[in-house]
Amino acid sequence: MDPDRKRKIRLVVALSVAVLLATALVWTSFNASTEAKSPSELLAATPAGAVDAYGKVVTEETLPDGSREFVIADPEDTSQTVPVEYEGQVPDPFREGRDVIVTGLMVDGTLVAEKDSLITKCPSKFSDEAEDDPNIVIDESL
Amino acid sequence: MEVALIALFVIAAVALFVSIPLRPGAESSKRIEDPEGAELEARKESKYREIRDAELDREQGKLSQADWARADAELRREAIEILREIDALEERK
Amino acid sequence: MSSIDAGFACLIAAFVAFAYGAAASIWGGRNADRRWVDSARRGVYAAAILLTLCVVVLEAAFLRSDFSVALVADHSSTTTPTLYKMTALWGSQGGSILLWAWVLSIASSGVLFATRHKHREVVPWATAVLCGLGIFFTGLMLLAGGANPFDRLSPVPAEGLGLNPLLRHPAMAIHPPMLYSGYVLFSIPFAFAIGALVARRLDTSWIRSTRRFGLLAWIFLSVGILLGAGWSYVELGWGGYWGWDPVENASLMPWLVGTAFLHSIMVQERRGMLKVWNVSLICVTFALSLLGTFLVRSGILQSIHAFGESTVGTPLLVLIALVLAGSTALIISRLGDLRAERRVESMASREAVFLVNNVLLIGLAFIIFYGTFFPLIAEAVTGERSTLAAPWFDRYVTPLAILVVLFTGIGPLLAWRQISAGRALRLFGPPVAFAAVVLVALIAFTDSASEPGALIMFTFAAFALAGLLGEFVRGATAQNALTGDGWALSLGRVVVRNRRRYGGYTVHVGIILAFVSIAASSSFQNTDDVRMLPGDSTTVGDYELTYVRPEAYRDFDEDRLTFGSVVEVRRDGELVETLTPSRNYYSSSSTGTVRSFFEGEATSEVGRSGGAAEDFWTAMRPDLTEPAIENFIATADRRIDEATIPEVLPDPETPGGAEAMRGIAEARSEFQGLAITNLEERFENGEIPVDFRINVNPLVIWIWVGGAIGVIGGLIAAWPTASAKRRRVSDVYAARLAKDLGRA
């Protein structure tokens, strides 16, 4: 077999393998993923499987056995809230007022969370704190 | 506007600085290499690196003496070709 | 006139200098007029000087706590330690973009100075690209909202907000400039690749002039990634070093493709092959570097680092699209000039392995890219945002990572073109045998077989390390045969004489060690979460942890309350170490309530007892939501309010009123202090239960030891050969060849 033909075959094989693997990747990703849902969406329709619920913590309390119960509100409509039952590692920044993502199943209107799935967002490094204070005027004029 | 005044002053200084090569009689980069010469130099260095690598590979036992001798001879032949081209370029100038 | 005004003026002038540089270099390139190219280069020098002045001005403002500057007020305070005052500059949007632009200007000045007499046809276009990037980043600061580091505040606040306590760690202080330097330095080979494509000068000269910048970029990026992972491990109460978070992935992707690029250019330098690969790889690496910068500030992906929407997100995205579209168009139009000079002759050659290596690393980058952006892809396809969690990444990254380790061992054992028949056994035999022995030993003496992925990784790593050791030994032996100097000296000499090769081997050793420890620490970790009161004990793995006693104290300088613990770690009944994990609470405001202490930032001080074999890690978290404690805090706050706030609040506008307000604040502060002291006593009496997280991580320290070895290897490979020495070597060959010429 002349070297050019060998090269072409090698190229075709390599590309086919790549396409096959990419397809497998894409296929399994949709099954492996969890949907992100806001409290409004959770209240509107109970999802079948596990979901990533996200929202702002409104109230929280720790139970005697160490597990947590807290309520998250929809960032867009804070009247829509969902209670969460959670066991496991609680990140340092977690507290009322922080944005969180937690994975779990909806059972009778409460999100029963997967252990250790709580993620709390770090407070924004890039929001301009001074901007939020109405007493301070930012001087951008030359 | 203070900032605007300072900025204008600084920009003027920068303009002075960048215009130096543009003045008539400025020493233009005559030492600039010619791209063809540069390409040949690069190929020569690459070829020398290949020769050195082959020697290193032989030292490390990856090439037998016979294989190395053959590769070394071929590489040296190619290097000579490049040196010839460099000479020819020199003559043309 | 204030220095801030001068600084702002310099920023404007830098923008103008870059704009001029772009125009002048394009004009000089199109008309082959060297004077305009020289002028453009001076524009870059000017921008570098001006941006340096901007940095100096702002750092001075931080050092003297000038709170009229918004940046200083938001990220520093009079109580911030000096080191963190200086490093706070890049903790903000405007500051970090300034850093980007500044490093770009310095690096560009460096490369343009070094090539001022070279690459006549390529340099004008490379200069234009670098100036274009300069225009973009200085323009962002001037034109995008909220990104101007020179914004002022009026009225000037009396005190700044201080640095987020999570960032008050040396690793976090230099992590951003390390990462940014990595990203920015990739722009140098990128600019020269574009220049080479435009000018159709696609030999290796563009690579030779920018190779070191690419290597430096890789080194900085590696250090940045290692620091981020290290900080996460020792500072965060989570005990992990990598979470496949989008921001983490954003720095890993350019690292992977950059690694492929650095290997691949070696092939083009020696064999004239993989030209299309190389220009494509550097364009993708740079695009990913920009993407990395973008992801951190865009808010488009849910991430624990997601810093929220910002105004620079969209322009960055446009730049990335421009870079990708422009490079693709250029590469396709120059495909003819990019044809390889040779073909891969044998699969058992270094070139073939490097090609496989390219594919593996690209594959890894693709998987990570896909997983990171999956939420957006899913939203586009199904209308629902879904995320892929860490297990998905682990599942697909692991097999490729294992193959990468295998090939880091195979590559060094091969030669360019091909190794001699029969040599294969001598070269591969011992490492394969060693790996087989290690495999058997692991199965027999450890429970590694329970984690097949890790077991394969260890076996391949053993093969690779043995092979690399063989390379060092063979090289030293050959050198010794030449000079008879003794083994250690020979080893040193052969490394110094062949820095690129042996530096590369050193990097491989470091990478293999890091991968092995990642496999070990993730597959064989022991972990537990336990709630304990003083006197309690628990067992994790081979260790026993006893919560001896609580400790509480206040640091008034830093306005911090610490609830800590003394724990004893035992193994086989023997005391290994006494640790003091603790939790720091920073007061969020000066409202004088007790609760305000626990609504601000809280950080964990981790307790670690580490050795080469494994790391014992623990973090604690007192539970303040116990009903008794909860009641105490609520009651205390109510009593403070009752005691200090009068029926009618005094008017702060009047002098008497302002005085009265101050009096109230002082009284509240005093009561708050008393209540906190009471809480401290309760804690020290053991009334507050504590949740301990305990991890036993095998081999984890080797991630950073391996990383450090890799960085040292990179430095060895980048170390310049004195040009005199280079010329001498060339002259020696020239002399030999001249003899041949004379004979030929």
Side-chain angles (χ1 to χ4, degrees):
Chain A
M1 212 187 299
D2 73 302
D4 251 345
R5 181 123 191 274
K6 231 202 256 186
R7 266 187 77 250
K8 277 212 182 73
I9 294 182
R10 252 189 251 152
L11 193 67
V12 169
V13 168
L15 280 174
S16 315
V17 170
V19 168
L20 235 78
L21 287 173
T23 315
L25 197 80
V26 172
W27 189 265
T28 58
S29 60
F30 282 95
N31 291 335
S33 62
T34 42
E35 285 173 7
K37 295 260 184 213
S38 69
S40 317
E41 292 171 322
L42 290 171
L43 289 170
T46 311
V51 288
D52 286 341
Y54 62 91
K56 207 182 275 283
V57 178
V58 178
T59 60
E60 63 109 351
E61 80 172 277
T62 309
L63 300 178
D65 65 353
S67 68
R68 303 265 179 152
E69 275 177 12
F70 53 93
V71 175
I72 52 174
D74 195 318
E76 323 242 310
D77 178 3
T78 47
S79 65
Q80 307 283 324
T81 62
V82 167
V84 179
E85 283 170 13
Y86 179 80
E87 238 180 66
Q89 173 72 178
V90 175
D92 279 346
F94 179 79
R95 63 173 46 82
E96 281 174 31
R98 287 283 154 84
D99 291 308
V100 299
I101 307 167
V102 60
T103 310
L105 287 161
M106 284 296 286
V107 177
D108 292 330
T110 303
L111 186 80
V112 176
E114 278 173 31
K115 193 165 190 285
D116 290 345
S117 65
L118 178 62
I119 297 175
T120 308
K121 292 205 205 163
C122 292
S124 172
K125 201 160 74 143
F126 290 130
S127 82
D128 206 338
E129 315 251 4
E131 259 177 37
D132 297 329
D133 189 331
N135 291 329
I136 296 179
V137 169
I138 295 180
D139 188 357
E140 286 180 355
S141 59
L142 268 181
Chain B
M1 292 280 122
E2 287 182 348
V3 175
L5 278 172
I6 305 172
L8 277 171
F9 176 71
V10 175
I11 291 172
V14 169
L16 221 71
F17 179 60
V18 301
S19 63
I20 292 175
L22 298 171
R23 313 254 179 80
E27 161 83 32
S28 146
S29 318
K30 289 195 178 68
R31 290 182 289 154
I32 189 78
E33 70 183 11
D34 131 66
E36 267 179 54
E39 195 173 322
L40 284 173
E41 271 299 309
R43 281 171 54 198
K44 183 189 84 172
E45 291 291 337
S46 292
K47 195 55 63 181
Y48 286 179
R49 186 165 284 287
E50 271 191 85
I51 295 172
R52 279 191 75 201
D53 273 347
E55 211 172 297
L56 196 61
D57 285 341
R58 186 209 60 195
E59 278 176 25
Q60 295 199 309
K62 295 172 191 168
L63 289 177
S64 66
Q65 189 70 22
D67 281 340
W68 172 76
R70 218 178 322 125
D72 184 58
E74 186 184 332
L75 288 171
R76 303 260 211 100
R77 251 197 316 275
E78 291 168 7
I80 290 170
E81 270 308 308
I82 299 174
L83 285 173
R84 282 218 178 100
E85 283 181 55
I86 293 178
D87 283 342
L89 193 67
E90 282 291 318
E91 260 163 54
R92 257 183 288 151
K93 280 198 280 188
Chain C
M1 173 196 102
S2 79
S3 66
I4 308 297
D5 289 333
F8 191 21
C10 284
L11 181 62
I12 297 172
F15 174 80
V16 172
F18 274 130
Y20 171 75
S25 53
I26 293 176
W27 179 266
R30 295 203 67 171
N31 298 319
D33 191 340
R34 194 70 209 166
R35 304 172 303 151
W36 286 96
V37 179
D38 291 339
S39 182
R41 187 174 64 245
R42 282 168 167 257
V44 174
Y45 294 165
I49 296 171
L50 292 167
L51 287 170
T52 308
L53 286 171
C54 290
V55 171
V56 166
V57 160
L58 284 171
E59 288 288 24
F62 270 100
L63 285 173
R64 64 169 190 272
S65 290
D66 181 352
F67 296 125
S68 73
V69 179
L71 226 64
V72 180
D74 281 345
H75 300 278
S76 178
S77 65
T78 51
T79 57
T80 306
T82 309
L83 171 70
Y84 297 121
K85 274 188 187 157
M86 294 188 61
T87 60
L89 173 63
W90 43 78
S92 62
Q93 184 80 282
S96 57
I97 296 178
L98 178 63
L99 188 73
W100 230 103
W102 177 57
V103 178
L104 177 70
S105 66
I106 304 279
S108 304
S109 298
V111 77
L112 291 178
F113 180 76
T115 56
R116 64 195 183 285
H117 299 307
K118 295 189 194 162
H119 310 302
R120 184 174 70 192
E121 294 174 3
V122 169
V123 159
W125 305 105
T127 311
V129 170
L130 293 170
C131 287
L133 291 170
I135 293 171
F136 178 81
F137 282 96
T138 48
L140 264 186
M141 286 187 275
L142 294 171
L143 302 169
N148 189 340
F150 294 100
D151 274 341
R152 309 279 233 138
L153 292 178
S154 160
V156 177
E159 176 61 279
L161 294 171
L163 192 62
N164 187 317
L166 271 176
L167 301 176
R168 287 183 212 173
H169 188 275
M172 261 306 115
I174 57 168
H175 164 80
M178 289 290 122
L179 279 183
Y180 288 155
S181 300
Y183 292 153
V184 173
L185 286 168
F186 275 128
S187 69
I188 307 292
F190 168 73
F192 273 76
I194 298 291
L197 284 167
V198 170
R200 293 198 134 109
R201 283 265 152 226
L202 289 156
D203 53 70
T204 56
S205 36
W206 73 267
I207 291 177
R208 291 178 66 224
S209 293
T210 58
R211 182 186 73 92
R212 286 212 169 79
F213 283 91
L215 195 45
L216 265 175
W218 183 92
I219 292 173
F220 276 113
L221 207 51
S222 306
V223 171
I225 292 172
L226 287 167
L227 285 174
W231 171 80
S232 168
Y233 182 68
V234 304
E235 272 300 303
L236 297 182
W238 156 54
Y241 46 81
W242 194 263
W244 296 115
D245 185 79
V247 167
E248 293 170 328
N249 299 344
S251 60
L252 188 59
M253 289 188 279
W255 185 89
L256 288 166
V257 184
T259 305
F261 171 71
L262 288 175
H263 283 87
S264 191
I265 55 177
M266 280 191 247
V267 178
Q268 182 173 341
E269 277 182 299
R270 286 167 181 73
R271 311 279 296 135
M273 297 191 275
L274 301 187
K275 291 185 181 183
V276 178
W277 269 105
N278 291 334
V279 287
S280 312
L281 283 172
I282 189 57
C283 291
V284 171
T285 305
F286 185 62
L288 287 171
S289 298
L290 288 175
L291 190 66
T293 314
F294 165 73
L295 262 183
V296 178
R297 311 142 204 278
S298 67
I300 61 166
L301 288 171
Q302 301 283 17
S303 153
I304 63 169
H305 301 78
F307 296 116
E309 298 274 344
S310 78
T311 50
V312 305
T314 314
L316 261 173
L317 204 57
V318 169
L319 178 66
I320 294 169
L322 214 75
V323 163
L324 285 173
S327 343
T328 313
L330 253 184
I331 294 174
I332 292 179
S333 73
R334 301 311 198 239
L335 273 177
D337 299 290
L338 289 165
R339 228 171 312 126
E341 293 163 26
R342 279 182 208 85
R343 299 252 181 273
V344 176
E345 286 166 20
S346 152
M347 283 310 293
S349 64
R350 245 201 206 121
E351 323 55 301
V353 168
F354 278 30
L355 191 55
V356 170
N357 182 60
N358 276 4
V359 171
L360 284 174
L361 290 169
I362 300 283
L364 269 172
F366 174 73
I367 290 174
I368 296 172
F369 181 89
Y370 181 76
T372 307
F373 285 95
F374 184 76
L376 298 175
I377 297 171
E379 197 171 14
V381 170
T382 65
E384 290 286 353
R385 261 211 183 195
S386 318
T387 48
L388 291 166
W392 184 89
F393 284 93
D394 289 336
R395 200 183 322 144
Y396 289 99
V397 165
T398 308
L400 283 182
I402 292 174
L403 284 175
V404 166
V405 167
L406 178 65
F407 280 93
T408 57
I410 294 178
L413 294 175
L414 295 173
W416 297 107
R417 291 203 227 198
Q418 60 188 85
I419 52 172
S420 300
R423 295 281 156 155
L425 196 62
R426 193 190 306 191
L427 291 165
F428 283 85
V432 169
F434 179 70
V437 167
V438 167
L439 176 66
V440 168
L442 283 173
I443 295 178
F445 298 116
T446 71
D447 63 347
S448 309
S450 62
E451 297 279 346
L455 186 64
I456 298 176
M457 174 72 88
F458 296 152
T459 312
F460 283 174
F463 159 76
L465 284 173
L468 284 165
L469 183 68
E471 286 287 293
F472 277 100
V473 167
R474 278 189 290 271
T477 312
Q479 181 74 30
N480 193 26
L482 232 75
T483 58
D485 262 332
W487 210 84
L489 204 60
S490 300
L491 181 66
R493 195 167 277 149
V494 79
V495 167
V496 168
R497 283 189 62 222
N498 300 288
R499 279 190 280 265
R500 286 175 68 172
R501 184 176 285 211
Y502 285 95
Y505 288 173
T506 311
V507 176
H508 280 200
V509 168
I511 297 289
I512 295 167
L513 288 174
F515 274 44
V516 162
S517 54
I518 291 173
S521 58
S522 44
S523 305
F524 298 103
Q525 185 194 52
N526 264 322
T527 181
D528 202 5
D529 291 301
V530 184
R531 172 170 282 219
M532 295 201 277
L533 288 167
D536 289 347
S537 278
T538 185
T539 308
V540 179
D542 292 332
Y543 295 89
E544 191 196 341
L545 178 90
T546 309
Y547 178 16
V548 175
R549 67 172 185 279
E551 284 182 343
Y553 38 91
R554 270 192 86 170
D555 182 333
F556 288 93
D557 289 331
E558 295 242 14
D559 209 5
R560 178 178 69 202
L561 169 65
T562 304
F563 282 155
S565 59
V566 177
V567 304
E568 284 176 356
V569 180
R570 283 190 170 71
R571 200 198 165 120
D572 300 327
E574 295 246 337
L575 180 68
V576 173
E577 199 167 330
T578 305
L579 300 171
T580 55
S582 61
R583 202 151 168 76
N584 299 318
Y585 297 92
Y586 294 86
S587 176
S588 67
S589 65
S590 42
T591 55
T593 60
V594 178
R595 188 173 301 284
S596 74
F597 250 106
F598 304 106
E599 282 175 348
E601 285 308 319
T603 63
S604 264
E605 287 301 318
V606 165
R608 272 182 58 236
S609 173
E614 60 189 354
D615 219 52
F616 181 89
W617 180 104
T618 181
M620 59 91 87
R621 188 195 185 90
D623 182 19
L624 299 161
T625 58
E626 273 277 291
I629 305 299
E630 211 9 80
N631 262 335
F632 172 79
I633 295 177
T635 314
D637 282 343
R638 199 178 60 235
R639 293 240 181 90
I640 292 177
D641 281 345
E642 281 170 10
T644 57
I645 296 185
E647 287 276 325
V648 179
L649 273 179
D651 184 354
E653 305 281 302
T654 71
E659 178 100 29
M661 286 297 270
R662 264 199 299 278
I664 292 176
E666 270 169 34
R668 289 176 72 80
S669 192
E670 220 176 289
F671 283 127
Q672 180 199 47
L674 286 171
I676 295 290
T677 308
N678 192 297
L679 256 182
E680 288 178 55
E681 276 166 22
R682 285 174 176 238
F683 183 70
E684 288 188 323
N685 284 338
E687 289 174 40
I688 302 179
V690 173
D691 291 315
F692 283 90
R693 166 156 264 218
I694 302 162
N695 288 331
V696 178
N697 297 312
L699 294 183
V700 79
I701 193 84
W702 293 94
I703 296 176
W704 290 283
V705 171
I709 293 175
V711 167
I712 292 172
L715 288 170
I716 295 175
W719 209 261
T721 338
S723 29
K725 211 195 276 179
R726 224 188 296 138
R727 238 182 293 126
R728 230 188 309 130
V729 172
S730 298
D731 289 343
V732 165
Y733 278 111
R736 280 167 57 183
L737 283 161
K739 261 203 285 181
D740 291 348
L741 265 171
R743 248 183 281 140

